[in-house]
Amino acid sequence: MFHIYCPHCGEYREEEEFHARGEAHIARPLDPDACSDEEWGDFLYFRKNPRGIHHELWIHAAGCRKFFNVTRNTQTYEIKEVYKIGEMPSVVAE
Amino acid sequence: MQHYSGFGLLKHSLTHHENWQRVWRNPTPKKKYDVIIVGGGGHGLATAYYLAKEFGVTNVAVIEKGFLGGGNTARNTTIVRSNYLWDEAAHLYEHAMQLWEGLSQELNYNVMFSQRGCMNLGHTLQDMRDIERRVNANRLNGIDGEVLDAKQVQEIVPVLDCSDSARYPVMGASWQPRAGVARHDAVAWGYARGADAHGVDLIQQTEVEDLIIEDGTVVGVRTDRYGEIRADRVGCVVAGNSGVMAKKAGFKLPLESHPLQALVSEPIKPVLDTVVMSNHVHGYASQSDKGDLVIGAGIDGYNGYGQRGSYTTIEHTIQAIVEMFPVFSRVRMNRQWGGIVDTCPDACPIISETPVKNLFFNCGWGTGGFKATPGSGHVFAASLAKGEMHELAKPFSMFRFHNGALVDEHGAAGVAH
Ligand SMILES: Cc1cc2nc3c(=O)[nH]c(=O)nc-3n(C[C@H](O)[C@H](O)[C@H](O)COP(=O)(O)OP(=O)(O)OC[C@H]3O[C@@H](n4cnc5c(N)ncnc54)[C@H](O)[C@@H]3O)c2cc1C
Ligand SMILES: [Zn+2]
């Protein structure tokens, strides 16, 4: 069971209140019409799947309903840090 | 290979069962093979078996980092069915179903395939519409299926709560009578024994650390225990580790690895003689021949490689089971475990050529690949033997995520992911 620190609420809450929403920092192509099929497919479907450090988007679904980012180890499940959208992580995946 | 029979059992009983032949050899690998299969799960072993038996390619090695069938194959809840929605998927799973039906005879090994039927419950009007659509699609494809109303469901599964007072009353179900369960370990062992008998080398306790690629062509693998082993073709069938292997080969796969867990209860008297699944309350159960309830549900919401699964998912699973079967509320759970499943964006597998010549991948089966074991092995073997994808495998190319030809099976996949 995770205890996750919500940077918006400013406190730790139980995993049950949150939902993981997949990889963080995915930028929508600025000019979709100019994308090749490969670029568009990459944007839609290809996600990092590391055995180790991963940057993820989470939502405090049953709390403040705000999104934020989590840096987590997918092997040990240790949460390295939590940071707001727009901020950059200090623990960086390879 | 020693033939198993009732007479053999009798004969060996005279010598207290001490003289049975070993089920497979434990060979030292050769320097070079025609085909190397990475991953000795059900799919890898089935691939090796059909390569040797049906396609005459016997200079084959299966390299497994742990023990044979010790991956997801040993951790799954053993449900076999072929009632998928789209033609591409329905044909693939039905191909497997037809092989299941003769598998114990084919392998001379009892895989305990039991066609006890599988029911997917509907709890809303939308569920029922989806069920009708899928059953009709199945029947057009020659796959058995029926739409049941709540009364018929109750007759088949008396232990299910079909009353109006349920939080999500049962409105009906899809029903595939030919579906059922099979003994997962026996499937791996049966294929392993068959492959070994046809000359395939099963190399256990050996991890493939890297793929050797020269000029864009795979020429072998590097292992932790035996160093380099060469091959003309390599097939990767490593389930939850596929993303990691693809990265070594220099390309990406659209897979995310998640823990999926299962539970079994203490053995109880026979109460449930079919498989009951519900996408809506999201849990499923069957009863093993030994008497334990075999229970599963969804994946953990986040990526993970920890083979245990989370508490919150267990709680949701058990809530769903108690919702459907209030009578099970006091049954004790004996064991719980997790496996790492590689989920694909369209809930369909990848059986494919890759950007690397002579390197093939078979993965992305996610939460539902056990049912496909014979079919997956068969079409993958055909592809590896000819160097060209089998017709049934073609729609499952990894390149579909760039050309848009997805096969969206989320509705029929049975477990949300
Ligand atoms: C809890 C749970 C319940 C499930 N329930 C069902 C169900 O009811 N019905 C159904 O159809 N499916 C079910 N599934 C899915 C099913 O188990 C899988 O899709 C299927 O077993 C995949 O088979 P496989 O042979 O591809 O993978 P695996 O059996 O996982 O085999 C892959 C093998 O590759 C080996 N390997 C990995 N990396 C390397 C390496 N570098 N070198 C050498 N070897 C390596 C692993 O050790 C492993 O033995 C379930 C899965 C889980 C976890
Ligand atoms: Zn919050």
Side-chain angles (χ1 to χ4, degrees):
Chain A
M1 166 75 76
F2 288 128
H3 271 141
I4 301 174
Y5 181 82
C6 172
H8 302 289
C9 297
E11 59 186 48
Y12 283 89
R13 296 287 188 84
E14 282 188 4
E15 179 181 338
E16 274 287 60
E17 294 188 11
F18 299 87
H19 276 302
R21 284 295 167 84
E23 187 184 331
H25 306 292
I26 293 175
R28 185 184 162 89
L30 288 174
D31 185 2
D33 290 339
C35 278
S36 65
D37 287 354
E38 179 128 14
E39 285 164 343
W40 192 245
D42 279 352
F43 163 67
L44 286 180
Y45 302 118
F46 286 71
R47 298 293 177 260
K48 291 200 180 111
N49 188 27
R51 208 182 232 288
I53 302 291
H54 192 31
H55 302 296
E56 302 173 331
L57 186 64
W58 286 68
I59 179 172
H60 193 180
C64 65
R65 305 209 41 80
K66 287 188 181 133
F67 285 92
F68 59 94
N69 295 325
V70 172
T71 304
R72 192 174 62 87
N73 186 318
T74 60
Q75 226 172 343
T76 63
Y77 289 28
E78 185 195 356
I79 293 177
K80 298 281 186 187
E81 66 178 321
V82 164
Y83 55 102
K84 288 185 183 161
I85 306 282
E87 293 175 358
M88 292 313 279
S90 61
V91 182
V92 184
E94 47 154 325
Chain B
M1 182 176 83
Q2 190 170 29
H3 188 78
Y4 293 157
S5 65
F7 176 71
L9 202 60
L10 206 65
K11 193 180 88 184
H12 280 283
S13 71
L14 298 175
T15 49
H16 305 282
H17 297 289
E18 281 172 358
N19 298 315
W20 288 99
Q21 196 183 62
R22 285 188 74 112
V23 183
W24 50 76
R25 297 163 297 132
N26 197 12
T28 311
K30 302 180 205 163
K31 292 255 170 305
K32 162 112 204 292
Y33 289 94
D34 292 347
V35 178
I36 286 179
I37 311 284
V38 186
H43 290 206
L45 293 165
T47 306
Y49 172 79
Y50 291 115
L51 261 174
K53 166 87 193 305
E54 193 146 322
F55 302 100
V57 187
T58 52
N59 186 23
V60 175
V62 177
I63 304 180
E64 163 58 47
K65 71 174 175 186
F67 55 94
L68 300 177
N72 286 332
T73 300
R75 293 159 187 268
N76 83 85
T77 44
T78 76
I79 300 165
V80 173
R81 59 191 177 92
S82 64
N83 55 352
Y84 279 67
L85 176 65
W86 300 105
D87 293 352
E88 297 88 343
H91 290 154
L92 182 63
Y93 290 104
E94 178 59 20
H95 180 52
M97 182 64 92
Q98 290 179 11
L99 291 169
W100 278 116
E101 288 180 320
L103 197 59
S104 291
Q105 285 74 16
E106 158 90 27
L107 296 175
N108 176 232
Y109 200 95
N110 187 3
V111 300
M112 295 168 75
F113 182 51
S114 156
Q115 292 176 294
R116 57 188 68 180
C118 176
M119 203 178 265
N120 288 76
L121 301 179
H123 303 264
T124 67
L125 208 52
Q126 186 60 49
D127 282 353
M128 290 314 295
R129 286 182 180 141
D130 289 341
I131 282 169
E132 272 160 36
R133 180 181 179 210
R134 186 153 44 85
V135 167
N136 284 328
N138 289 161
R139 295 178 73 139
L140 287 170
N141 274 320
I143 296 166
D144 60 324
E146 282 165 52
V147 180
L148 306 179
D149 61 25
K151 203 167 145 274
Q152 291 168 301
V153 170
Q154 187 75 88
E155 271 162 23
I156 298 175
V157 193
V159 75
L160 185 73
D161 180 8
C162 291
S163 67
D164 288 340
S165 59
R167 172 73 181 83
Y168 300 103
V170 172
M171 293 181 74
S174 72
W175 170 238
Q176 186 181 21
R178 275 161 74 238
V181 294
R183 172 79 201 279
H184 47 357
D185 298 320
V187 174
W189 299 334
Y191 275 121
R193 172 169 168 268
D196 176 85
H198 285 95
V200 171
D201 284 353
L202 306 173
I203 317 291
Q204 300 184 63
Q205 306 287 341
T206 305
E207 181 164 355
V208 170
E209 292 179 325
D210 212 350
L211 297 158
I212 309 169
I213 296 167
E214 290 169 1
D215 299 326
T217 306
V218 74
V219 293
V221 300
R222 189 165 296 121
T223 65
D224 59 350
R225 201 159 140 210
Y226 298 105
E228 279 188 22
I229 307 176
R230 298 248 151 184
D232 292 335
R233 288 192 183 126
V234 176
C236 274
V237 204
V238 294
N241 280 299
S242 302
V244 179
M245 289 302 285
K247 201 170 171 202
K248 291 184 203 283
F251 58 88
K252 289 180 296 185
L253 289 173
L255 299 173
E256 291 192 277
S257 298
H258 292 261
L260 174 68
Q261 54 193 319
L263 306 92
V264 290
S265 74
E266 59 189 342
I268 55 177
K269 285 187 177 170
V271 281
L272 183 59
D273 63 0
T274 184
V275 180
V276 179
M277 317 183 72
S278 165
N279 274 2
H280 196 89
V281 299
H282 205 206
Y284 60 84
S286 64
Q287 188 172 20
S288 78
D289 293 346
K290 206 171 68 187
D292 29 21
L293 298 170
V294 183
I295 292 170
I299 53 172
D300 285 1
Y302 35 82
N303 292 26
Y305 288 89
Q307 285 180 313
R308 49 170 194 242
S310 69
Y311 291 117
T312 49
T313 304
I314 296 178
E315 194 174 346
H316 289 302
T317 308
I318 293 299
Q319 276 169 8
I321 295 302
V322 174
E323 161 72 22
M324 290 191 280
F325 304 98
V327 63
F328 292 164
S329 68
R330 282 172 298 148
V331 177
R332 274 184 296 261
M333 291 301 140
N334 246 358
R335 287 183 295 130
Q336 168 274 348
W337 63 88
I340 304 305
V341 298
D342 46 348
T343 59
C344 231
D346 61 355
C348 273
I350 291 173
I351 314 173
S352 185
E353 296 158 317
T354 68
V356 177
K357 200 158 171 272
N358 292 339
L359 177 63
F360 298 78
F361 264 66
N362 182 340
C363 56
W365 290 95
T367 57
F370 175 67
K371 65 176 76 67
T373 306
S376 161
H378 188 257
V379 301
F380 200 49
S383 312
L384 281 165
K386 304 201 174 92
E388 183 194 307
M389 300 318 292
H390 186 280
E391 275 309 310
L392 289 175
K394 276 184 185 159
F396 302 101
S397 159
M398 64 179 276
F399 301 106
R400 72 181 186 269
F401 299 97
H402 285 135
N403 64 26
L406 272 59
V407 188
D408 183 5
E409 280 293 357
H410 280 277
V415 174
H417 60 237

